[in-house]
Amino acid sequence: MPTEKRFKEQLQNGRMIEDESEMTEGYKKALKATLKVSADTELMSAPAYYEQSMNAPTLDARASCVSVIQDELGHGHIAYRLLEDLGEDREELLFGREPHEFRNTYGFDQHLETFAELVSAHGMFDRAGMVLLSDIEENTSYAPWKRALRKVGKEEQFHLRHGETWMRRLANKSEKTKRRVQEAMDWMFPMGIEWFGLPDDQKHNTSQLDYRIKGKTNDELRQEWMSHTVPLANDLGLDVPAHFDEESEEYVLEYDAPVAFDAENKEWRFEEPISWDDVLDRWRDRGPANEKYVNMLQSGKIEVGV
């Protein structure tokens, strides 16, 4: 095994890793942490998407929504299977953890209360997931994950088309349905900004980049996401607090992030700036739907209203 410094140099020069025997402890730790976030996020999207999938306005739409859920469960299975190859107990990961121990992105700890929110999540959150996983597929040094993501990427394209198509339908149908999409965008867009983590100038742990587990920085990924979502919002006649700045040739926010979030009402308090430490504390505390969604998955039961 080469020294840690030499190992990182080899990875930056294109070395691919096939199994645990080729890894340093630092590499394995960084890879497992990244895989857990990916696995938990894919898994927790399923219960988040379920209820409003059953409220889809047409049978075709419901079938597509259920197909998305099935895909997401499959994507979670892929990441958990890779973790199992690295010595993790899949049953323990799925059924042995408390709800607050899951590491999914915070967007899937929120209740989706309308079909407009569901399809906006497909269009906004699945876009975020696709930006992250496309970067990993293109740049990762872990070969088994790179191969697995070919299938994932194709299925995420379907989720994205489904979400954006329905966002467009609702935005163009009536003022009422357009308003519902706008209301979804109001809380989902800043959530997407947070999705990619700390700004580069505040992120001190660079192991994902050093080991070439991913290729782009948080801010680069955030810019990639905005390059799709801001033009989409503009095309649909929806408002988002960001625009493209010609001088800097990048997308800029129209508020000073981060800001406080009222999770119960899904409202951002743009007049109340906070620190990124406060954001990290909110993520650790989990959101209002966390326990419900984890319990749905761990129990295999669906609560049906009477």
Side-chain angles (χ1 to χ4, degrees), residues 38-177:
S38 180
D40 288 353
T41 297
E42 299 280 13
L43 180 71
M44 295 308 297
S45 69
Y49 287 165
Y50 174 76
E51 186 174 1
Q52 293 307 318
S53 293
M54 296 300 100
N55 289 334
T58 68
L59 186 59
D60 284 347
R62 179 183 291 192
S64 294
C65 291
V66 171
S67 179
V68 169
I69 292 173
Q70 183 178 13
D71 287 345
E72 301 291 17
L73 290 171
H75 300 168
H77 171 78
I78 289 170
Y80 288 121
R81 182 68 182 84
L82 292 172
L83 283 164
E84 199 169 43
D85 291 342
L86 299 174
E88 294 287 330
D89 186 326
R90 181 167 34 171
E91 291 296 307
E92 177 65 22
L93 287 172
L94 290 170
F95 301 107
R97 289 184 292 169
E98 295 297 319
H100 70 274
E101 295 178 293
F102 281 74
R103 290 294 174 258
N104 54 284
T105 52
Y106 192 71
F108 291 132
D109 279 350
Q110 315 304 312
H111 294 99
L112 299 183
E113 298 168 301
T114 65
F115 182 72
E117 284 193 328
L118 172 64
V119 295
S120 296
H122 289 165
M124 304 290 283
F125 293 168
D126 280 59
R127 170 68 75 182
M130 189 171 172
V131 166
L132 286 164
L133 293 179
S134 294
D135 172 58
I136 292 173
E137 181 184 357
E138 180 180 354
N139 295 297
T140 188
S141 59
Y142 188 47
W145 200 6
K146 185 181 186 74
R147 291 190 291 268
L149 287 175
R150 293 171 190 162
K151 174 181 183 295
V152 173
K154 292 177 181 178
E155 292 172 346
E156 290 291 350
Q157 283 279 6
F158 161 69
H159 305 174
L160 195 57
R161 286 197 304 272
H162 170 76
E164 291 185 353
T165 296
W166 269 101
M167 289 173 72
R168 191 174 303 279
R169 288 178 182 174
L170 294 175
N172 292 331
K173 182 180 179 181
S174 68
E175 285 303 313
K176 180 179 179 180
T177 54

Side-chain angles (χ1 to χ4, degrees), residues 18 59 104 116 144 186 193 220 239 245 258 278 300:
E18 286 288 347
L59 186 59
N104 54 284
D186 286 344
I193 293 298
E220 290 172 335
D239 295 323
D245 181 72
D278 294 326

